[in-house]
Amino acid sequence: MEKTKINITDEVAIHISDMNKWFGNFHVLRDINLEVRRGERIVVCGPSGSGKSTLIRCINRLEEHQKGSIIVDGTELTTDLKNIDKIRSEVGMVFQHFNLFPHLTTLENCTLAPMWVRETPEKEATEIAMEMLEKVKIPEQAHKYPGQLSGGQQQRVAIARSLCMKPRIMLFDEVTSALDPEMIKEVLDTMIQLAEEGMTMICVTHEMGFARQVADRVIFMDEGQIVEQNEPEEFFKNPKSDRTKLFLSQILGH
Amino acid sequence: MMTKIAFVRKKEIPPSAPPITEVGLIGWLRQNLFSSWLNSILTVLSVYFIVVILWDFIPWAYGGHWNTKSLRECLDLDPDVACFSVLTARWKQLLFGLYPAEEYWRPTLTFIFLLLAIVPILFPRFFRFFWFSIIYPGLAVWLLWGGSFWSISIVYIGLTLGALFFLSLIRRYLKNYMVAAILAFLFTAVFLLFISNPLVGLLNVILPISLPFVESLKMGGFTLSLIVGVTGIVASFPIGILLALGRQSNLPVIKMICVGFIEFIRGVPLITLLFVASVLLNYFLPPGTNFDIVLRVVIMVTLFSAAYMAEVIRGGLAGLPLGQHEASASLGLTYWQSQRLIIMPQALKISIPGIVNTFIGLFKDTTLVSIISLRDPVGLASTIRADQKWNGIYWELYVAIGLMFFIFCWGMSQYSQYLERKLKTDK
């Protein structure tokens, strides 16, 4: 399948410069520089503990960085709570373990944030939610509770829940890692569809097939640093760094 | 010999019914009462004990006297059966304490209103009547203690005005909730301290509505148990939630205050707190202050159970995966929104058994007020025995008191089980 690159613009969506983060004494992110343009789809990969999840969690301030700057949609992330809430409402995030709200139905999961954060009227929020649930192909589960759905369905609801906030950027944190093999495809299909619509996406994932198919850029991280980045074709065919080669041989070799 | 590995199923096995010994009455008996030799012996022993106890209790209770004039008379008739005449003679006292007899309708009405007021809280279906639950506390205080209708209403008027003031502040001028809340608080305080008294005086002249005043020492019996128990339950719940949140707070001062309070209160017996309330507190207050004894007891009981409540709720908070906090933060919900909509509903649901446990404990602990000579049912039991006619009567009184408490506590326990079933969302 041919990728659509027409969506990428010159507008900068995320600008990270010289960003550093420590967990206690552990230097988990080191001098990260990254510029993401609107419409760009980025896949971040790397061995576990390389800091890739921490990196995207810094973008919506689930983790606080200690040095350098992160500018999302022209707003810099500081300790100012107003800025943080503003950025969070414009950046959607999907987690490895779904993190749906188990005490609310699928539909309520989707309408909650628009109603309370954006103050959308309930009727309109419900319409948007149903539209998004159609999009992830589970409108018929709207009145069930998350505990009654399969893993793949839950993850698609989680994606729909983020989309209801009409985010301009989506972050995916290993969203298929906790799924049974037969459910991975339905979630990836949803993400591919989203990518084709031109959503700005940063995906931490080990799904190299997905990376090949939709990514504009693949970033390889190790020990808290960006080691290599390239277009997917080149990245997989001609990895430059030894660490990248080793990593690729480990995950593609079996 | 070679084992054949390859296998392909040719014939489907249809599902069939389980053996007769596994289902129905026989199955149930086998599973629950006679599953092993030890269980069978225990079952037989338990049945034996139950029979022995009921063998004596049923004739004792069933043949009891209800219409004698004194315990002496009972014993003369038949010493082996219960003498419930004490209940016939004194049931009003057990229910209302020393409340004036011609005003008994007031606590009765208060109790009926209580049942109506908790319905909207217990069953969301009736939430449209929640306004009644809001006005109930004021109504109950007025009915029980009496006095001018306006001196209670003015508090409601003050609070309503304060709330409206707060809302209009944040609508029009201020975005800062903290400052608006402080201003609204000051506004309410000024209104209640300086404006309310002349206003009440005026209203009393224009439209005097009042009930005869009944002092706190006259409150007693189950009326007192319910006053202390219900107020304690209602007030300790929100305080417990705030303490639990405070204990988890990132702000060191708030955290220290909450931890200190919880650990102090949990480390002290309730009796001690009640003695402080009844005796010591008056030393610390300016001479001549008449700080109502029932109010003092209610405050102590509330603080006591709030500390326990906080720990129960903290257990529920700890049971929530971190992902719930992250998910609600990533959607842009503020701290309070996320507490209210995501965290608390789940944490409270996990804590239901512990919360109801604390409520039931609090309700039964109200009998401790008999130690500081308030006349709750247990205190009244001694008062009744002090009467020569009933000197030496124990069982009948305590069975009756126990039964009353059992009805309330069992009701709470049943409701909590109903709630747990209703809130179950994973099946």
Side-chain angles (χ1 to χ4, degrees), chain B residues 230-381:
Chain B
V230 172
T231 320
I233 285 172
V234 171
S236 67
F237 188 50
I239 300 177
I241 292 178
L242 291 178
L243 283 172
L245 288 178
R247 194 169 183 160
Q248 297 211 320
S249 168
N250 293 326
L251 308 168
V253 178
I254 290 183
K255 186 174 180 159
M256 252 163 53
I257 293 174
C258 291
V259 172
F261 177 84
I262 291 169
E263 295 303 331
F264 171 74
I265 296 281
R266 284 205 306 169
V268 177
L270 179 56
I271 298 261
T272 322
L273 292 176
L274 290 177
F275 272 123
V276 170
S278 87
V279 187
L280 286 175
L281 220 54
N282 274 349
Y283 288 116
F284 297 117
L285 294 170
T289 356
N290 183 19
F291 193 13
D292 191 275
I293 177 71
V294 171
L295 182 60
R296 277 182 275 164
V297 166
V298 163
I299 290 175
M300 285 305 180
V301 169
T302 302
L303 295 183
F304 187 76
S305 85
Y308 281 87
M309 188 65 65
E311 287 299 280
V312 168
I313 293 171
R314 189 169 69 99
L317 286 171
L320 280 195
L322 193 60
Q324 293 291 310
H325 294 266
E326 290 180 347
S328 55
S330 77
L331 287 169
L333 295 169
T334 63
Y335 174 81
W336 287 109
Q337 283 176 339
S338 131
Q339 289 300 338
R340 186 180 139 201
L341 301 166
I342 309 299
I343 307 303
M344 272 305 152
Q346 295 184 64
L348 293 180
K349 183 184 143 192
I350 301 175
S351 330
I352 288 173
I355 292 173
V356 174
N357 212 12
T358 314
F359 283 168
I360 289 177
L362 179 151
F363 189 60
K364 292 188 297 183
D365 281 351
T366 58
T367 53
L368 287 174
V369 299
S370 60
I371 309 256
I372 54 167
S373 38
L374 285 181
R375 292 183 187 79
D376 85 305
V378 174
L380 279 168

Side-chain angles (χ1 to χ4, degrees), chain B residues 185-199:
Chain B
F185 179 78
L186 286 178
F187 172 85
T188 315
V190 166
F191 178 85
L192 290 178
L193 287 177
F194 302 109
I195 305 174
S196 67
N197 273 345
L199 204 59

Side-chain angles (χ1 to χ4, degrees), chain B residues 60-113:
Chain B
W60 178 80
Y62 188 72
H65 303 298
W66 290 89
N67 284 312
T68 56
K69 293 275 173 295
S70 68
L71 180 61
R72 188 72 267 156
E73 214 177 305
C74 274
L75 295 177
D76 287 345
L77 278 172
D78 181 356
D80 289 332
V81 299
C83 184
F84 291 122
S85 317
V86 66
L87 302 177
T88 319
R90 299 294 192 104
W91 66 271
K92 285 178 183 160
Q93 213 179 358
L94 281 175
L95 291 185
F96 304 117
L98 304 181
Y99 212 87
E102 67 278 11
E103 308 283 345
Y104 277 169
W105 64 272
R106 280 158 56 179
T108 312
L109 198 59
T110 312
F111 180 68
I112 294 170
F113 282 161

Side-chain angles (χ1 to χ4, degrees), chain A residues 57 88 100-103 148, chain B residues 324 326 329-330 341 425 427:
Chain A
R57 287 159 61 86
R88 280 174 177 170
L100 290 175
F101 306 131
H103 62 301
Q148 300 165 315
Chain B
Q324 293 291 310
E326 290 180 347
S330 77
L341 301 166
T425 56
K427 291 249 160 48

Side-chain angles (χ1 to χ4, degrees), chain B residues 34-202:
Chain B
F34 301 100
S35 61
S36 68
W37 272 111
L38 184 65
N39 271 3
S40 307
I41 292 170
L42 287 177
T43 301
V44 171
L45 273 180
S46 312
V47 169
Y48 172 74
F49 279 118
I50 292 171
V51 167
V52 165
I53 290 170
L54 289 183
W55 198 260
D56 284 340
F57 181 80
I58 289 176
W60 178 80
Y62 188 72
H65 303 298
W66 290 89
N67 284 312
T68 56
K69 293 275 173 295
S70 68
L71 180 61
R72 188 72 267 156
E73 214 177 305
C74 274
L75 295 177
D76 287 345
L77 278 172
D78 181 356
D80 289 332
V81 299
C83 184
F84 291 122
S85 317
V86 66
L87 302 177
T88 319
R90 299 294 192 104
W91 66 271
K92 285 178 183 160
Q93 213 179 358
L94 281 175
L95 291 185
F96 304 117
L98 304 181
Y99 212 87
E102 67 278 11
E103 308 283 345
Y104 277 169
W105 64 272
R106 280 158 56 179
T108 312
L109 198 59
T110 312
F111 180 68
I112 294 170
F113 282 161
L114 170 69
L115 296 181
L116 294 178
I118 56 175
V119 167
I121 299 169
L122 299 186
F123 306 100
R125 184 157 31 127
F126 297 103
F127 194 74
R128 60 184 182 282
F129 298 114
F130 188 67
W131 56 269
F132 186 69
S133 314
I134 302 270
I135 60 169
Y136 177 75
L139 188 62
V141 167
W142 181 60
L143 278 174
L144 287 171
W145 275 271
S148 162
F149 175 72
W150 300 112
S151 42
I152 301 287
S153 314
I154 205 77
V155 177
Y156 274 84
I157 295 172
L159 291 175
T160 313
L161 287 178
L164 289 176
F165 184 67
F166 174 77
L167 285 179
S168 63
L169 270 186
I170 51 172
R171 283 267 165 75
R172 303 254 173 79
Y173 309 106
L174 278 168
K175 277 280 158 241
N176 192 329
Y177 284 73
M178 227 25 198
V179 178
I182 292 169
L183 284 176
F185 179 78
L186 286 178
F187 172 85
T188 315
V190 166
F191 178 85
L192 290 178
L193 287 177
F194 302 109
I195 305 174
S196 67
N197 273 345
L199 204 59
V200 168
L202 186 67

